[in-house]
Amino acid sequence: MNQIVEPKIYQGKELETNFFTPMLRGTGAERLGVRVLYNMPVPTVLNFLRGNGNALRSYAQGWSGDGSAEMLSKTIDLYKVKSETGYSAADYYTRVLETISSRPDIDMGDLSGTELEEAETRIFRESLAESLRATMWIGDTTRGGDMYDTFDGILALLERDRTQSMTIEYNEITDAEYTAADSGEAILRKLWNSAPVELRELKSEGQLAFFVTSDIYSKYEDSLDAANHEAAYIARQEGRTTLSFRGIPVVDMQVSGYLGELNGADELPKTWAVLADRRNIVLAVNTGDFPGTEVRMWYNADEMQNRQRAVFAVGCNFLLPDLICYSYKQ
């Protein structure tokens, strides 16, 4: 056998359990690095409850409250999208086998349909997860040309908010700042120092993160390598699995390659550094409220192709501008 011809269709609860839940929960959600809302009621609403720091009153009989707690909300626009991929039947079969060949519990001479289906599903899920992650950052529905234009990503929303309403604190990284010897650390320090006080005060809650492009991440690691002490010497040799600045994680958005594909004059800047509360940036995915939602994998005999298709709804947004600040270089 050198073909996989058995069709697989996930719909309803099976679609949620076997495909999207593993992608949007646990390690899948951690890789996205932001808050994920899955199959929330439509319209999907992002809520944020602000505490009242002046809630205490002198005791007196009866109700002395001055109204309801402040609940801020924003509707997340969901866009119906699809992903379709076709593979040569022989290449597809080889690729599926490669994903399970290293497992010691697999008898390669007697593969069951279940084992092949799990491998097929994992390949498609990983590909779709990466596309979701990239578009969540750099998507722009005004772009066109099938270039990450299925829904608006966070960077496009930040840039749009900056140019239209000026509600977000931002600083442009100058050429001198970008090329300085300690530019990585200096840029993060500038971002922290320019952050609104409401954002800085959330540091103790452990949800702040610097989201940066790969060049800033690399420059900051270079800044750490330049330190002259034993820990830095060891880290230069062994590498660092994670970075942080003043106790706040520094996360590589891993979108520099995708940004490099966008060559239009009005495209997004290629260098970014964003400080935000993770809870304030949300990716919403819905597979339960839109007709035609499914994941399908099948063999097309006429073209001798294995094909994959996913149809679902997705969108992302942020709620509070004062819980985000960012720098960028054009």
Side-chain angles (χ1 to χ4, degrees):
M1 180 181 71
N2 60 359
Q3 295 176 342
I4 299 175
V5 299
E6 188 69 24
K8 295 92 181 170
I9 303 174
Y10 297 134
Q11 295 174 325
K13 191 66 177 178
E14 190 178 40
L15 173 65
E16 177 180 337
T17 303
N18 293 348
F19 200 87
F20 278 93
T21 295
M23 185 170 66
L24 300 172
R25 295 286 186 269
T27 56
E30 290 174 7
R31 175 164 167 72
L32 290 170
V34 300
R35 184 175 164 193
V36 178
L37 299 180
Y38 179 50
N39 274 352
M40 297 296 287
V42 176
T44 301
V45 178
L46 170 59
N47 295 307
F48 198 98
L49 182 62
R50 282 186 186 262
N52 182 2
N54 187 31
L56 295 179
R57 299 289 183 271
S58 298
Y59 177 79
Q61 186 174 356
W63 174 257
S64 58
D66 57 358
S68 301
E70 185 182 12
M71 173 71 80
L72 303 174
S73 302
K74 180 187 284 188
T75 299
I76 301 176
D77 294 327
L78 295 181
Y79 300 82
K80 193 171 183 180
V81 300
K82 70 174 180 177
S83 172
E84 294 179 322
T85 308
Y87 300 91
S88 159
D91 293 343
Y92 187 73
Y93 180 72
T94 302
R95 185 180 180 192
V96 170
L97 287 189
E98 285 176 351
T99 66
I100 57 178
S101 61
S102 60
R103 287 174 49 185
D105 60 324
I106 293 294
D107 180 1
M108 297 300 291
D110 184 26
L111 290 173
S112 71
T114 300
E115 290 157 351
L116 290 176
E117 180 175 349
E118 289 176 352
E120 278 190 272
T121 301
R122 184 165 60 253
I123 288 172
F124 192 20
R125 188 168 57 221
E126 290 173 355
S127 174
L128 187 59
E130 176 59 14
S131 182
L132 266 177
R133 190 193 66 81
T135 310
M136 176 190 74
W137 287 114
I138 69 169
D140 188 345
T141 55
T142 67
R143 181 177 297 131
D146 294 328
M147 292 294 290
Y148 311 102
D149 63 347
T150 51
F151 63 97
D152 289 323
I154 296 301
L155 300 186
L157 291 170
L158 287 174
E159 188 73 355
R160 203 171 298 163
D161 187 275
R162 181 186 71 84
T163 57
Q164 295 179 359
S165 63
M166 303 294 287
T167 59
I168 293 179
E169 294 287 339
Y170 79 97
N171 289 275
E172 183 174 346
I173 303 170
T174 66
D175 288 338
E177 290 172 327
Y178 187 75
T179 57
D182 63 342
S183 59
E185 182 177 346
I187 288 169
L188 295 181
R189 185 183 302 110
K190 176 180 181 178
L191 196 57
W192 172 255
N193 290 338
S194 66
V197 64
E198 294 87 354
L199 182 58
R200 292 160 59 101
E201 288 176 347
L202 292 173
K203 179 181 177 181
S204 62
E205 298 185 16
Q207 294 296 325
L208 294 187
F210 291 97
F211 296 100
V212 301
T213 45
S214 297
D215 55 338
I216 299 296
Y217 190 90
S218 179
K219 284 175 176 291
Y220 180 51
E221 191 162 25
D222 289 343
S223 298
L224 298 177
D225 287 343
N228 294 316
H229 52 72
E230 184 178 359
Y233 175 74
I234 294 173
R236 281 198 295 270
Q237 298 180 77
E238 299 180 355
R240 303 172 177 85
T241 56
T242 59
L243 300 183
S244 62
F245 177 75
R246 296 191 175 181
I248 301 171
V250 179
V251 180
D252 186 351
M253 292 187 285
Q254 299 181 1
V255 295
S256 294
Y258 300 122
L259 287 170
E261 298 176 22
L262 308 176
N263 297 318
D266 59 344
E267 291 298 351
L268 294 169
K270 302 302 185 287
T271 294
W272 289 83
V274 178
L275 174 62
D277 186 300
R278 295 178 187 267
R279 297 165 297 184
N280 193 38
I281 299 177
V282 171
L283 175 72
V285 177
N286 190 289
T287 61
D289 296 288
F290 291 83
T293 300
E294 66 173 9
V295 167
R296 183 184 298 262
M297 295 174 281
W298 74 100
Y299 175 68
N300 184 285
D302 292 339
E303 301 292 337
M304 298 181 66
Q305 256 191 355
N306 283 90
R307 295 179 173 179
Q308 302 171 329
R309 174 188 292 141
V311 180
F312 57 101
V314 61
C316 66
N317 215 322
F318 58 86
L319 175 57
L320 300 175
D322 59 5
L323 297 190
I324 290 178
C325 68
Y326 70 101
S327 298
Y328 73 97
K329 181 178 186 293
Q330 289 284 7

